[in-house]
């Protein structure tokens, strides 16, 4: 083992002030309900937990915490973290306190007092409480972390999440300790004596629980010594000591060997899992079954629990009479000699453990001796193990892989104790260590990551003597308590200094100091003295013994200084010694004193200034690790010495420290210190104070001066004369000490500091600190004789640099001793110069940068490379062309530039083809935000702003929220935010609710009609001209009594009149009972239920009121006969209608569904419909299986129908096995022949058969198809069964068969032997019955006693189902031969054989079988056939054009509708028959409403309203149902939804719109009424609603819809006003929001329709943003009002401006409005008119062109040029930005790019700025040629002014080589010598007179240049 490698000279730092510490939970528990109070609440379930938010209103109070309870308390602290919180949130600490049965989780910070966050009380004493994060898997993505508190009791673990979820996980064994890991919980089984199975194998000892609902799984391990792979972790001698989340490692202790080992914890690979579960005979043969039986059998009642004495006994016994004793070392914590006081403080590892009783030991014996290796099933008891089948083993989830074992040598004691404390720490140089404290030694194991980052490598071990230790994470250090009682700070294994804690100063401080002075010959008494390194060469003083330092803390009793003190005679109070350290959080720590009191103290940070931090990072990066460590330790000690200066002097202190390490003599005045912010200070001064304090004396004793004086002069001599700063010689130049530790690295250090300086230039917020850094850089550059660097600094800050003297402090002979790196070139790297060269199109060299330090430089340079140079690979493969990474002194994995990480290049981003898009996407992926852009200098930022503007004009709709924020499109940002919310949560609060608010505006007495939330803003926009929505609501309401209008004739008696009124009411009730079917479609998906309230179901009111007195008319009077169960199906439909209101995105769970179950049995039918509706909108999947079973066992027919159809619809096309089993029970044909015959009602069988079709839709499942094919032609019988309503069953079987084979056509795989088409054709036309397959033959052996059909097929029963089955199988296949089977008969003879309604079905099937439009149908002579054929053709057109609003199809169908209505009223109606005509009319009306679905067409509404009013004659319940279904489809989902024409949708429509409607309300003979609601399965949301992002109100917006090219039309673009129903998305190419009123936005559907689908499914909200100065269409339909303000948009030659009060027309931005108020009004008359005009014109430009972010750029440009004109530019930075702006404009002009530069910056404004700058520079040049000449000849001198620097920067003159007088004499030579500099010829001619001028004093005349 290596010892400490480096130790700083004995120094001391000052800690923060002491604060008394008492755990907050202890005080809180005084007021918390105790166990006695809990007994009062035993009525509640024992498992219920008390989560208390404070103590208000609680019964009783805890009077006092007893000593016994106090001993059992424990707590742990951690750094507070808010999930998803912003980084600027206040830092806080969290405490988890445990005492008795109570756990208190509290939070507190410096700003706020601690408060209870959550508190829990459990039933039994808490053994341990800890924080743990569980991973909750999300759909298709990585899981999110759920923060929880886990509370260990004797029999269970309670898990409470921060989101309010509570779990109780019973434990199958006693747990000694829980460990939080990155994957979940680890449970360590209690065992003092290894438990063995009958096979002699040990049981696993460590188990994992990845989620509170998961089973506990054994952990496998892979020891380094075992070669045969993984085994279960069964070694009972291996104890867990520590777990870490990041990295995921464990520290274990082997109790037999006495060694520690480190293990990686990871998930198990599939190979390892299968290897363990295979159970080889030699190992772990018991585990898969033997231990599984325990895990799955042990209930919480079986888990033993006992009194709160501490023991480590195992709850199981291997034999009946075997009683185990507790292990000798497992005494209670108080009496244990092996646990020191230090370890006692480690609260997080000292839970009170409850011992198990032995009563449960024998319960498991049967399973121990079970001969089978598999355990019983989960729901069995352990006594019947032998009778149960085998069970599958519990698979392991986690694996422990050994990484390192503590080396054992001859010197190491064999019986080393377990570590009392373990933690992870890192040092200043980012080296990582795992430290564990063993007795009085801290062992630090260094570890690094392997090159592929896959595993950790543990390298060296260092021992540090310590009584206790604790990490300080935020400052990369740890605090160590030495045996002497001193507190010492270490960083890694490097000793930093002692820590002085004010307030803990003890008499031993004086005693130890005197003892040392009186005996200089004592050896150092610290164990580390031998390992120390020599003192730094700068301090030429002998190393001081540590005992001479003031010991901040009293030493332990028995110290050798204790007896020798001469102060013993005095009565000093005895100060307690620090005994333990604990609760480290960030840089704060708890000191526990020997008298039991605790204090919280903070250790100071390494620095507070951003500039110092950046410099330290750069120094650490470039230096070798050992040198960097010396610098950082030295700086830390200097900065944090007791009595240090205030923070504003931090930089001066850093410079002093840095220069002293470089070898400069900082005591002598080496720099002129009269400048502000000078880096050099004298010796460290104490804080100024009016009066003296004790701290002054402490500071003096700890100062460097005191040490020098003490060692040189001795203790008793008089004080020497102190040389002050003013007395110091200023003329003598002291040479630098070349033996200083950093002297040889001076060039490298200078270079990295120069790069930091360049980085600071790119941040407006930090640029002021660059000036602070400048004097240091200037001095170092002068000493290194880097003239061009000095010139660069002078050009940047001419007024500042010119004040410096020219002294060089390094002897030139010493410069050769320095290591001059290759990257230090004579020409300095200038980042602004690099940008300028880039804009000129010159070849630019790669710019040097420091990874992790100069990130702004990296980001901006790569942005220029990508956008200006046009290199698309600049951020990925061509990185080296633009950036060169400095080779650091230390290679660390973190020094790779972030740009080389996978995923941060621009390649994989969606959309984005142009350079601007690539740049924006890359910047966003790099974490660059608008806030960052604001701090980038305006000239540098202009290209990025240009790219942003381009992307803002043409964005992609699928960009992420971060990209949309960056480009400043609030509409897209809002949309993206809503989408990301929707992906993470089930229900979204979008901030805009398009659902109408349930206001109380309706009268109180008005009955709830189920449509109160219908009228909304969106409906008002869609149908703004009339009240059609209210009219539909009136037509469909069924909750109010109907008006019974009957005229009493004189001859009619009162009794007869009452009977007449009741007969009329009965007719009206037929209509009322049919209304819910239409109402369900009208209000579809329009309501979000409240989880705490039941769903409101409107009443079905079957009473009437007769005018004029509104007398009540009722059917229950007994005057007329009312059919039995008349309202049963109408109640069912009413329940469906109520349930269909629930939107699919609502919060619905199993408990809420059960909560809605009505108490009264008469409402059971409504609830049955409610269940079916929940299936149709997808919520029934959440209903627990137990509840489904419960509902079905009640035997209620309606409930069974609703539930079976509901779950089948919810599992559409999934082939779900559990639902298949559920349905099969109700279908005899799917049960084995020998199964018990169940009495299943006929209608339930029909629902179950159709359910099979829904669950297996489109799958082509062979077995189900075969069964359903047979069921279509199922004969009556046996005996009296299957005799009534056979038609509906055969139809359902046909529909189900069609669904199973939907659209497969002739390609039915594996069904050729079934001859499906031929069999179906036979069912249609009749013939001999084919023999049944084997299984059905037995069932149908005995014939029916009631119906004699013989061997012939009954076509009246089988034809409808077979026809529709054939139609669905060949849907859209264009199969001509099948269509020919279905043609209408062409002879009168054949026509006689076919029922007219069957003709209708055939025509439908013939026409939907082809994908084209229905052909003209041959008209036949018979009127019935003719009408039915027309109705069938119309219905086929309706299916073909469903939801399309196709005008031609509508006109065609509407004309037929009118003709049927005319026929009904004509005299020829009797020929066809009123019933047949009414049937045909209903079908055509449904076809029309299908085509116009969701559009609310007025003409169709008029038809529906006309038919609604007809109640007499042939108008029965079925016709009313058809008409109101048509009305519901016309306004489907309040106009939000439409029908689609996919195969699945047409199948659902065929089931729902089957053209045979019930004759009365209980008629299900031909078609089950419940199937009418399957229309919902064909509905899809297609309404697009533009919402203004500023007002969050729906609005009108113009859209361009581009249709894809098809066989009927070319690619077409249609202009349409939204809100609107979109066509089916597969028909569209693009949806685009058009200008000019709104910002343009296009959604490209050619790549992916998913984005638009997700928008439509979430209310269809599309956020749009109004452009400046525009009015919405609602306020200004024609755009005339907006024209009034458009005059400002027209550019003219002179600057435009408008009045400040007009700005609100253009923008609502508060900042811009305030700017106009403050700067654009000359209200006082004091401001200059010119200035106001400038500001007004700038504001006008920015607002009208919608570039408000350019206003600061306008102002900065103008201010820069004004300062230049006034000659007041003290630094040239603003001029650099002006130059970059002008260069970019010039580049764009040269490229001829019609970019938006005329918009981003006004061309008039730029030309004014350009000319002003040119004139100013030219004027100065003409007046000061001699100044320029002297600069060009001699370089920088002290008397040159700042305008010269401005000239050089503006004219882009590089640092020029010195030219001799002879060379200057010739123009040609001059031109040749300056050619390499790349100067424009114009500039050379301008400079020629200056260059050719003779030096001052010369008699020669200058040559003239013509």
């Amino acid at each position: 083992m290596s010892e400490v490698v480096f130790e700083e000279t004995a120094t001391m730092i000052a800690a923060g002030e002491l604060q008394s510490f008492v755990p907050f939970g202890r005080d809180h528990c005084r007021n918390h309900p105790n166990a006695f109070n809990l007994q009062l609440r035993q009525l509640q379930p024992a498992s219920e937990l008390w989560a208390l938010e404070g103590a208000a209103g609680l019964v009783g109070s805890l009077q006092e915490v007893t000593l016994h309870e106090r001993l059992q308390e424990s707590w742990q602290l951690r750094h507070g973290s808010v999930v998803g919180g912003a980084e600027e949130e206040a830092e806080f600490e969290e405490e988890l306190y445990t005492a008795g049965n109570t756990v208190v989780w509290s939070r507190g910070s410096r700003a706020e007092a601690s408060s209870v966050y959550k508190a829990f009380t459990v039933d039994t004493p808490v053994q341990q409480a800890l924080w743990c994060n569980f991973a909750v898997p999300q759909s298709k993505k990585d899981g999110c972390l759920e923060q929880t508190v886990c509370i260990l009791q004797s029999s269970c673990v309670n898990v409470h999440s921060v989101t309010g979820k509570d779990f109780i996980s019973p434990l199958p064994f006693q747990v000694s300790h829980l460990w939080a890991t990155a994957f979940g919980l680890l449970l360590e089984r209690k065992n003092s004596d290894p438990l063995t199975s009958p096979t002699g194998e040990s049981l696993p000892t460590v188990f994992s629980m990845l989620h509170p609902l998961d089973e506990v799984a054994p952990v496998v391990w892979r020891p380094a010594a075992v070669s045969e792979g993984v085994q279960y972790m069964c070694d009972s001698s291996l104890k867990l000591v520590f777990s870490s989340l990041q990295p995921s490692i464990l520290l274990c202790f082997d109790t037999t060997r006495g060694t520690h080992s480190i293990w990686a914890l990871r998930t198990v690979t599939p190979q390892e899992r299968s290897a363990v579960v295979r159970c080889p005979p030699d190992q772990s043969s018991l585990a898969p079954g033997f231990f599984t039986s325990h895990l799955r059998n042990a209930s919480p009642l079986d888990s033993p629990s006992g009194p709160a004495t501490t023991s480590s006994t195992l709850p199981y016994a291997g034999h009946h009479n075997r009683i185990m004793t507790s292990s000798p070392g497992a005494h209670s914590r108080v009496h244990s000699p092996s646990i020191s006081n230090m370890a006692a403080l480690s609260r997080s590892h000292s839970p009170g453990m409850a011992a198990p009783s032995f009563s449960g030991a024998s319960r498991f014996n049967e399973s121990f001796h079970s001969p089978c290796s598999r355990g019983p099933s989960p729901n069995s008891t352990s006594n019947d193990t032998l009778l149960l089948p085998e069970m599958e083993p519990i698979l392991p989830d986690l694996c422990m892989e050994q990484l390192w074992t503590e080396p054992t040598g001859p010197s190491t004691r064999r019986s080393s104790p377990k570590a009392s404390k373990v933690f992870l720490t890192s040092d200043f140089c980012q080296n990582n260590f795992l430290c564990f404290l063993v007795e009085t030694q801290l062992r630090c194991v260094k570890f690094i990551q392997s090159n592929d980052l896959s595993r950790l490598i543990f390298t060296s071990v260092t021992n540090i003597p310590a009584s206790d230790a604790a990490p300080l994470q935020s400052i990369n250090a740890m605090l160590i308590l030495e045996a002497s009682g001193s507190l010492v700070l270490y960083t890694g294994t490097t000793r930093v200094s002692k820590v002085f804690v004010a307030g803990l100063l003890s008499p031993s401080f004086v005693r130890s100091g005197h003892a040392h002075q009186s005996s200089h010959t004592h050896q150092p008494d610290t164990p580390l003295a031998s390992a120390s390194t020599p003192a730094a060469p700068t301090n030429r003083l002998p190393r001081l013994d540590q005992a001479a330092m003031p010991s901040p803390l009293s030493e332990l009793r028995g110290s050798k200084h204790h007896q020798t003190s001469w102060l013993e005679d005095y009565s000093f109070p005895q100060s307690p010694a620090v005994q333990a350290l604990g609760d480290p959080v960030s840089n704060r720590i708890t000191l526990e004193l020997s008298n039991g009191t605790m204090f919280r103290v903070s250790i100071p940070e390494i620095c507070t200034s951003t500039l110092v931090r950046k410099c330290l990072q750069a120094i650490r990066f470039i230096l070798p690790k050992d040198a960097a460590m010396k610098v950082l330790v030295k700086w830390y000690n200097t900065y944090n010495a007791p009595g240090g200066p205030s923070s504003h002097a931090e930089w001066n202190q850093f410079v002093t420290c840095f220069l002293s390490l470089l070898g400069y003599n900082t005591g002598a005045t080496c720099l002129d210190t009269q400048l502000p912010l000078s880096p050099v200070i004298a010796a460290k001064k104490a804080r100024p104070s009016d009066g003296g304090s004790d701290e002054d004396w402490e500071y003096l004793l700890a100062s460097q001066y005191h040490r020098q004086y003490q060692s040189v002069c001795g203790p008793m001599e008089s004080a020497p004369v102190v040389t002050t700063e003013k007395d110091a010689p200023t003329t003598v130049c002291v040479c630098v000490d070349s033996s200083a530790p950093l002297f040889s690295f001076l060039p490298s250090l200078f270079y990295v500091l120069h790069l930091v300086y360049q980085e600071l230039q790119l941040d407006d917020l930090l640029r002021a600190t660059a000036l602070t850094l400048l004097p240091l850089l200037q001095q170092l550059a002068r000493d290194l004789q880097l003239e061009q660097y000095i010139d660069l600094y002078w050009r940047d800050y001419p007024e500042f640099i010119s004040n410096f003297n020219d002294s060089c402090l390094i002897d030139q002979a010493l410069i050769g001793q320095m290591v001059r790196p290759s990257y230090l070139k004579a020409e300095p790297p200038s980042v602004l110069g690099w940008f300028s060269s880039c804009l000129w199109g010159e070849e630019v060299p790669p710019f040097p940068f420091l990874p992790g330090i100069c990130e702004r430089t990296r980001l901006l340079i790569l942005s220029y490379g990508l956008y200006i140079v046009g290199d698309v690979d600049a951020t990925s493969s061509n990185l080296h062309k633009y950036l060169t990474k400095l080779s650091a002194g230390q290679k660390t994995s973190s020094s790779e530039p972030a740009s080389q990480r996978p995923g941060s290049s621009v390649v994989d981003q969606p959309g984005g083809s142009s350079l601007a898009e690539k740049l924006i996407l890359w910047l966003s992926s790099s974490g660059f935000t608008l806030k960052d852009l604001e701090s980038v200098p305006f000239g540098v930022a202009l290209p990025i702003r240009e790219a942003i503007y381009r992307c803002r004009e043409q964005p992609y709709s699928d960009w992420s929220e971060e990209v949309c924020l960056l480009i400043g499109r609030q509409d897209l940002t809002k949309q993206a935010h809503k989408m990301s919310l929707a992906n993470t949560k089930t229900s979204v609060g979008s901030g805009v609710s398009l659902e109408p608010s349930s206001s109380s505006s309706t009268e109180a007495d008005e009955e709830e009609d189920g449509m109160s939330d219908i009228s909304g803003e969106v409906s008002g926009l869609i149908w703004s001209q009339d009240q059609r929505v209210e009219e539909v609501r009136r037509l469909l309401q069924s909750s109010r009594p109907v008006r019974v209008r009957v005229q009493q004739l004189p001859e009619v008696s009162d009794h007869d009149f009452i009977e007449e009124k009741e007969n009329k009411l009965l007719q009206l009730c037929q209509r009322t009972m049919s209304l819910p079917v239409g109402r369900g479609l009208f209000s579809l998906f329009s309501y979000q239920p409240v989880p705490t309230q039941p769903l409101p179901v409107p009443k079905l009111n079957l009473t009437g009121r007769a005018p004029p007195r509104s007398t009540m008319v009722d059917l229950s009077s007994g005057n007329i006969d009312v059919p039995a169960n008349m309202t049963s199906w109408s109640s069912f439909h009413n329940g469906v209608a109520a349930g269909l209101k629930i939107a699919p995105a609502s919060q619905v769970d199993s408990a809420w569904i059960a909560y809605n179950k009505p108490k009264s049995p008469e409402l059971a039918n409504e609830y049955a419909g409610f269940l079916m509706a929940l299936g149709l909108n997808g919520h029934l999947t959440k209903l627990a299986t137990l509840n489904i079973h419960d509902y079905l066992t009640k035997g209620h027919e309606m409930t069974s129908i609703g539930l079976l159809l509901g779950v089948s619809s919810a599992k559409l096309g999934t082939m779900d096995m559990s639902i298949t089993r559920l349905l099969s029970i109700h279908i005899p044909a799917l049960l084995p022949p020998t199964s018990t015959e169940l009495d299943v009602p006929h209608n339930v069988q029909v629902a179950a058969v159709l359910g099979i079709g829904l669950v297996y839709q489109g799958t082509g499942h062979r077995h189900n198809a075969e069964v359903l094919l047979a069921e279509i032609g199922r004969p009556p019988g046996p005996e009296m069964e299957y005799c009534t309503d056979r038609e509906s069953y055969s139809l359902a079987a046909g529909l189900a068969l069609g669904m199973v084979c939907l659209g497969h056509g002739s390609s039915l795989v594996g069904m050729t032997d079934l001859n499906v088409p031929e069999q179906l054709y036979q069912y249609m036309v009749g013939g001999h019955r084919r023999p049944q397959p084997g299984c059905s033959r037995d069932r149908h052996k005995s014939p029916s006693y009631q119906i004699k059909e013989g061997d012939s097929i009954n076509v009246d029963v089988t034809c409808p189902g077979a026809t529709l089955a054939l139609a669905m199988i060949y849907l859209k296949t264009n199969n001509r031969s099948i269509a020919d089977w279905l043609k209408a008969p062409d002879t009168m003879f054949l026509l006689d054989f076919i029922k007219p309604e069957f003709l209708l079905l055939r025509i439908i099937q013939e026409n939907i079988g082809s994908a084209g439009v229905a052909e003209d149908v041959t008209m036949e002579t018979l009127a019935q056939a003719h009408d039915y054929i027309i109705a069938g053709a119309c219905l086929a057109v309706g299916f073909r054009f469903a939801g399309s609003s196709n005008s031609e199809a509508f006109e065609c169908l509407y004309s037929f509708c009118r003709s049927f209505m005319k026929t009904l009223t004509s005299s020829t109606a009797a020929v066809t028959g009123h019933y047949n005509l009414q049937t045909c009319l209903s079908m055509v009306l449904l076809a029309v409403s299908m085509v116009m679905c969701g559009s609310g067409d007025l003409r169709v509404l008029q038809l529906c309203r006309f038919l609604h009013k007809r109640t007499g004659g042939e108008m029965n319940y079925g016709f009313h149902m058809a008409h109101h279904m048509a009305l519901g489809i016309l306004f489907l989902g309040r106009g939000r939804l439409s029908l689609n024409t996919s195969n699945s949708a047409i199948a659902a429509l065929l089931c729902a719109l089957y053209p045979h409607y019930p004759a009365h309300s209980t008629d299900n003979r031909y078609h089950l009424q419940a199937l009418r609601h399957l229309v919902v399965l064909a509905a899809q949301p297609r309404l697009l609603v533009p919402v203004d992002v500023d007002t969050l109100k729906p609005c009108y917006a113009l859209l361009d819809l581009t249709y894809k090219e098809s066989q009927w039309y070319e690619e077409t673009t249609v202009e349409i006003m939204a809100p609107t129903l979109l066509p089916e998305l597969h028909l569209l190419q693009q949806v685009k929001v058009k200008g000019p009123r709104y910002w343009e936005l296009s959604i490209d559907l050619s790549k992916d329709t998913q984005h638009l689908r997700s928008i439509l499914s979430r209310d269809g909200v599309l956020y749009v943003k109004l452009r400046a100065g525009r009015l919405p269409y609602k306020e200004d339909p024609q755009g005339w009002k907006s024209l009034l303000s458009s005059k400002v948009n027209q550019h003219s030659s002179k600057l435009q401006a408008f009045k400040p009060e007009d700005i609100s027309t253009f923008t609502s931005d508060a900042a811009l409005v305030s700017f106009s108020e403050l700067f654009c009004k000359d209200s006082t008359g004091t401001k200059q008119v010119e200035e106001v005009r400038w500001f007004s014109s700038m504001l006008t430009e920015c607002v009208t062109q919608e570039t408000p972010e350019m206003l600061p750029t306008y102002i900065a440009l103008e201010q820069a040029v004004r300062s230049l004109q006034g000659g007041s530019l003290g630094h040239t930075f603003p001029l650099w930005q002006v130059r970059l702006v002008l260069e970019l404009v010039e580049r764009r002009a040269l490229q001829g790019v019609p970019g938006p530069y005329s918009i981003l910056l006004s061309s008039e404004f730029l030309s004014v700025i350009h000319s002003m700058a040119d004139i100013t520079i030219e004027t100065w040049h003409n007046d000061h040629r001699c100044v320029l000449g002297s600069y060009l000849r001699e370089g920088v001198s002290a008397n040159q002014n700042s305008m010269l620097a401005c000239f050089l920067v503006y004219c882009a003159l590089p640092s020029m080589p010195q030219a001799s007088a002879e060379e200057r004499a010739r123009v040609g030579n001059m031109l040749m010598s300056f050619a390499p500099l790349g100067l424009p010829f114009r500039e050379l001619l301008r400079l020629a007179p200056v260059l050719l001028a003779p030096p001052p004093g010369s008699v020669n005349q200058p040559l003239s240049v013509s």
Side-chain angles (χ1 to χ4, degrees), residues 13 423-433 435 470-479 488-497 584-588 603-607 613 616-617 620 629 632-633 636 890:
I13 63 162
F423 55 84
L424 294 170
T425 187
S426 58
D427 66 11
F428 289 159
C429 291
Q430 310 298 311
N431 297 311
N432 295 310
F433 298 88
C435 307
L472 301 163
Q473 298 292 355
S474 67
I475 56 174
N476 294 328
M478 57 183 171
L479 194 62
V488 183
L489 192 70
Y490 277 77
T491 174
T493 54
T494 306
R495 183 188 176 104
V496 179
S497 64
V585 176
S586 194
N587 65 331
R588 297 179 294 282
I603 308 299
E605 300 281 348
I606 193 163
C607 63
R613 180 172 285 109
L616 288 173
Q617 286 174 339
R620 187 180 71 197
M629 183 65 82
L632 291 165
V633 169
Y636 188 82
Q890 51 200 37

Side-chain angles (χ1 to χ4, degrees), residues 318-338:
H319 200 266
H320 285 281
N321 55 3
R322 181 174 170 194
I323 300 294
M324 294 174 287
T325 58
S326 65
S327 69
H331 302 293
S332 69
R333 182 165 68 90
V334 186
H335 303 296
S336 168
S338 63

Side-chain angles (χ1 to χ4, degrees), residues 1599-1606 1609-1616 1622-1634 1641-1646 1649 1652:
L1599 300 182
D1600 268 349
L1601 302 184
T1602 306
Y1603 285 83
K1604 287 180 186 169
E1605 186 180 350
S1606 73
Y1609 49 82
E1610 296 177 351
E1611 186 176 304
T1612 316
T1613 300
V1614 179
E1615 190 175 274
I1616 192 167
L1622 297 179
E1624 290 189 65
L1625 300 191
H1626 66 84
L1627 302 173
L1628 291 177
Q1629 175 101 9
Q1630 188 188 52
V1631 177
K1632 182 178 179 182
V1633 179
K1634 277 188 72 172
L1641 163 66
S1642 59
I1643 303 175
D1644 190 1
L1645 300 174
S1646 56
T1649 59
L1652 186 54

Side-chain angles (χ1 to χ4, degrees), residues 1479-1538:
T1479 303
C1480 293
L1481 175 61
S1482 301
M1483 293 304 104
V1484 180
L1485 183 65
L1486 280 167
V1488 176
S1489 64
M1490 272 198 288
V1491 172
M1492 303 307 288
C1493 175
S1495 68
D1497 184 81
L1498 208 54
R1499 289 193 285 175
V1500 186
L1501 173 59
Q1502 288 166 345
L1503 287 176
C1504 293
R1505 187 170 64 172
F1506 173 76
L1507 293 169
H1508 169 85
K1509 290 178 178 174
R1510 297 182 56 178
T1511 54
E1514 295 283 346
M1515 290 296 287
N1516 61 20
Y1517 170 76
F1519 293 142
H1520 280 303
M1521 183 185 280
H1523 302 154
H1524 292 107
M1525 277 186 77
L1527 184 58
I1529 290 172
L1530 185 66
F1531 285 86
L1532 189 63
R1534 299 181 303 152
R1536 293 176 169 282
L1537 308 168
S1538 191

